[in-house]
Amino acid sequence: MKIVDNDTKASNIKKRNPLQLAQLPEDHVAAYVLLASDESRAITGEVISSDGGLSVRGLG
């Protein structure tokens, strides 16, 4: 799946990301499924980042 039409923009997005990848919608599905399940019943007041490391670098 291509998230941007311009290859230069895609390259710049990847360079900013510590994991060197552009996030796709399906990269977030596991977190959504977890939070919607009974397995998350004890998770409260948490921020779950699925941003490829941008928040660790202070960019997210």
Side-chain angles (χ1 to χ4, degrees):
M1 174 182 214
K2 199 169 188 177
I3 60 170
V4 292
D5 292 329
N6 185 318
D7 288 336
T8 302
K9 283 184 183 180
S11 177
N12 288 335
I13 290 169
K14 289 179 182 180
K15 285 178 188 174
R16 287 187 59 213
N17 188 300
L19 295 180
Q20 298 293 302
L21 40 92
Q23 296 295 113
L24 299 173
E26 51 268 24
D27 293 329
H28 309 283
V29 171
Y32 299 153
V33 170
L34 169 68
L35 293 172
S37 74
D38 288 337
E39 300 296 321
S40 68
R41 68 180 179 265
I43 298 174
T44 61
E46 296 298 322
V47 175
I48 299 175
S49 299
S50 59
D51 61 7
L54 287 175
S55 57
V56 173
R57 290 178 72 187
L59 300 173

